Amino acid sequence: MSQSKKNLFSRELGGGQMWSKVIGRGKCLRMTDLEGGANVGMLLYNALEKTERYNMPDTLKGQKIFYLREPYCLHSDMGRILASIVEDGPGWHDTVCGTSLPSLVEEKYGKKDYQEAHNDWYRAGRELFLIELGKWGLGERDLVPNINWFSKIAPDEEGKLSYVPGHSTAGSSVTIRFELDSLVVLNTCQHPLDPNPRYEPKPVKLEVFEADPVTSYDPSRLVRPENERAFQNTEDYNLLRF
Amino acid sequence: MMSNLTESQLLPENAVYEHTIRAGDHWMRRIEKGQTFRILDLKGNQAADTLFYNAEDPDDRYSASDTIAAQGALYLTTGTRLMSTRGTELLKIVADTCGRHDTLGGACSRESNTMRYAHDKEHMHACRDSFLRGVQSWCHHMDKRDVTCNINFFMNVPVTPEGELDFADGISAPGRYVEMVASCPVIALISNCPQLNNPCNAYNPTPVQVLIWD
């Protein structure tokens, strides 16, 4: 996707870190894998009604997909669309495997606490999600299956899953356009199925810019009739609200 | 495929609890640690949409993604450990005469039916409404925030190696069941799916039976 609009926001986020912001509808978030092998765990909520949240099953079955890619959408649990994928380098992003638990991190990588390692300590995706959620009045009850940007998890015929190493390369990026004002909560911890025995979460760059208006022939609308109906639901909601 | 069929030695007449959940109804009950819980597909190809909560603290509840990541597998069958968001093992599947159960597809809702089928389907009864009435009636603080991604017992939602996903014809049949042992005290919530929009149950939702043994 060509980008002529100037950046409203830009920052780098190191590996094993967390971030949350409200991003308004009509804006894009671009995430860039700076070194290759990044994983961005993301949760999304309607910023004004935080009980409305990203819904993995509706996203998958509504679009008959198992993994996320352009031009598919991120559906909420209320028949609406939170965001659409408008640019996509890696072409495969996981949304079924969740994020790392503290027990998993300790088992895989060992333990490094703050007193010993300061900001190089080992942290779990779940803990970072909970810290950010807590700042918006949310908590454990709001944890649902998240998106894992840049991570490819391949299924076989029997449903066994395997992590595909080297899927995302340095400089590859994915851009999502928000259709609802959204609370975006993310962490840059390693994918829970990443077989790398070392704790090596990778940095990403985050950029926000204005999106072009959504037309009736937008690829995200046209890719599935379900998406067209969900876009109409979303537009009705925004029309009544604003 | 479907090589994981395992039968149970437990006899229905020895169960301490038995109840038939009619299509479209919800059912919620505490199951004690060590008790065995069976869901029986009475007429075949009925989806039993099921949520579990840690009874000691319902904020800790069934997690589809933690269950998938813990097994490294998408489908549930004998041997699957049903995991919570905290990584607690809630139950373990010990018998299964169906062979495959879905945890990716979630539950139908009136809102998602407008997206999936048509805007004029909004009035039709749906599972997430049943889940809401279940949690609202549970004498606790529970509400919509506690309605998360559920298990669909007896549903077949195959994923291809290319990453396509579909709702296939059921692989269940009358009398098939799945049985699990509670690893800690749990609350089970079932919405016996009233779905009339897709062909999985031949547009004819039917009852399921639940049984509990000590």
Side-chain angles (χ1 to χ4, degrees):
Chain A
M1 176 182 165
S2 65
Q3 184 201 331
S4 53
K5 309 276 175 71
K6 77 171 172 62
N7 275 2
L8 304 168
F9 175 90
S10 179
R11 73 162 285 180
E12 262 188 55
L13 198 63
Q17 295 190 17
M18 61 196 125
W19 187 85
S20 64
K21 289 282 182 288
V22 170
I23 302 181
R25 65 203 159 96
K27 293 188 173 72
C28 287
L29 170 67
R30 171 182 289 165
M31 294 165 276
T32 303
D33 180 354
L34 293 171
E35 298 177 2
N39 179 70
V40 179
M42 177 184 281
L43 290 167
L44 291 174
Y45 305 82
N46 177 340
L48 296 161
E49 294 291 351
K50 293 194 218 41
T51 58
E52 178 175 4
R53 52 203 181 185
Y54 173 67
N55 188 283
M56 175 269 281
D58 287 354
T59 297
L60 297 187
K61 72 185 177 186
Q63 303 175 100
K64 294 193 162 63
I65 54 173
F66 169 68
Y67 62 92
L68 300 171
R69 58 194 184 272
E70 181 189 358
Y72 291 93
C73 297
L74 311 176
H75 287 250
S76 83
D77 65 316
M78 294 293 284
R80 296 188 274 262
I81 290 174
L82 287 154
S84 313
I85 304 170
V86 295
E87 175 271 334
D88 181 14
W92 184 308
H93 309 268
D94 164 57
T95 188
V96 307
C97 291
T99 194
S100 54
L101 289 164
S103 55
L104 178 89
V105 169
E106 190 168 342
E107 183 187 317
K108 270 172 101 165
Y109 311 116
K111 193 172 171 66
K112 263 196 182 180
D113 61 19
Y114 182 78
Q115 178 162 313
E116 173 199 342
H118 291 176
N119 285 320
D120 292 329
W121 57 329
Y122 294 168
R123 311 192 74 180
R126 181 180 195 275
E127 298 303 295
L128 304 193
F129 272 151
L130 285 174
I131 290 167
E132 287 307 302
L133 288 171
K135 295 173 184 177
W136 302 90
L138 303 177
E140 265 191 303
R141 296 163 71 206
D142 305 290
L143 285 176
V144 291
N146 56 277
I147 302 158
N148 285 304
W149 297 110
F150 302 110
S151 290
K152 178 174 182 176
I153 305 299
D156 70 10
E157 295 282 359
E158 297 300 311
K160 289 286 175 198
L161 298 174
S162 52
Y163 180 94
V164 178
H167 171 60
S168 175
T169 52
S172 66
S173 66
V174 58
T175 304
I176 61 176
R177 178 186 64 209
F178 290 93
E179 317 295 353
L180 281 175
D181 292 344
S182 298
L183 169 61
V184 183
V185 181
L186 55 84
N187 71 63
T188 47
C189 292
Q190 278 156 281
H191 189 282
L193 298 187
D194 183 346
N196 182 353
R198 293 181 302 280
Y199 183 82
E200 290 177 332
K202 298 296 176 60
V204 294
K205 185 176 185 183
L206 306 174
E207 296 164 282
V208 177
F209 53 91
E210 293 285 348
D212 292 326
V214 181
T215 65
S216 56
Y217 48 86
D218 188 277
S220 296
R221 298 183 84 114
L222 297 176
V223 65
R224 295 286 320 173
E226 290 89 344
N227 284 7
E228 174 58 32
R229 289 190 289 271
F231 264 97
Q232 289 173 22
N233 288 343
T234 312
E235 286 160 357
D236 284 350
Y237 173 88
N238 283 327
L239 203 62
L240 290 171
R241 180 131 203 176
F242 299 103
Chain B
M1 173 167 161
M2 311 307 166
S3 57
N4 257 335
L5 303 186
T6 44
E7 292 192 15
S8 169
Q9 302 303 311
L10 295 173
L11 300 172
E13 54 266 35
N14 294 335
V16 296
Y17 175 86
E18 175 273 323
H19 179 75
T20 297
I21 311 169
R22 291 167 60 78
D25 284 356
H26 63 272
W27 170 89
M28 198 167 189
R29 189 178 176 88
R30 181 179 165 118
I31 300 168
E32 298 303 333
K33 179 179 177 179
Q35 285 188 318
T36 302
F37 176 49
R38 179 188 293 181
I39 309 174
L40 178 69
D41 188 2
L42 289 168
K43 308 270 185 176
N45 289 340
Q46 178 62 14
D49 292 40
T50 306
L51 288 166
F52 292 108
Y53 304 85
N54 182 341
E56 303 294 311
D57 183 353
D59 289 4
D60 185 30
R61 65 277 170 102
Y62 174 73
S63 166
S65 54
D66 288 289
T67 298
I68 290 168
Q71 331 291 324
L74 292 175
Y75 312 120
L76 315 182
T77 186
T78 307
T80 302
R81 303 158 66 215
L82 305 179
M83 307 302 291
S84 78
T85 47
R86 282 182 204 159
T88 310
E89 181 181 302
L90 298 175
L91 306 101
K92 187 170 181 179
I93 299 179
V94 294
D96 177 17
T97 61
C98 178
R100 175 183 280 190
H101 307 272
D102 162 66
T103 193
L104 277 186
C108 61
S109 73
R110 301 213 327 278
E111 293 79 13
S112 75
N113 283 347
T114 70
M115 172 268 284
R116 294 189 66 205
Y117 304 109
H119 285 122
D120 66 6
K121 303 294 188 189
E122 204 264 341
H123 66 286
M124 295 172 73
H125 186 31
C127 281
R128 272 181 258 170
D129 286 4
S130 295
F131 280 151
L132 276 175
R133 288 298 296 123
V135 294
Q136 284 170 336
S137 65
W138 191 251
C139 305
H140 195 268
H141 68 271
M142 297 169 82
D143 59 30
K144 178 176 182 288
R145 292 169 73 192
D146 303 292
V147 177
T148 56
C149 302
N150 57 284
I151 299 167
N152 291 305
F153 287 113
F154 310 115
M155 275 283 288
N156 186 22
V157 183
V159 174
T160 69
E162 294 72 40
E164 290 166 358
L165 174 145
D166 211 348
F167 282 68
D169 283 343
I171 53 172
S172 188
R176 301 226 174 156
Y177 59 82
V178 59
E179 198 171 282
M180 57 213 100
V181 173
S183 309
C184 64
V186 297
I187 303 160
L189 171 56
I190 292 179
S191 163
N192 190 22
C193 188
Q195 183 56 256
L196 290 173
N197 288 295
N198 82 42
C200 292
N201 54 13
Y203 306 100
N204 179 31
T206 51
V208 297
Q209 188 180 38
V210 287
L211 299 108
I212 298 173
W213 288 264
D214 279 333

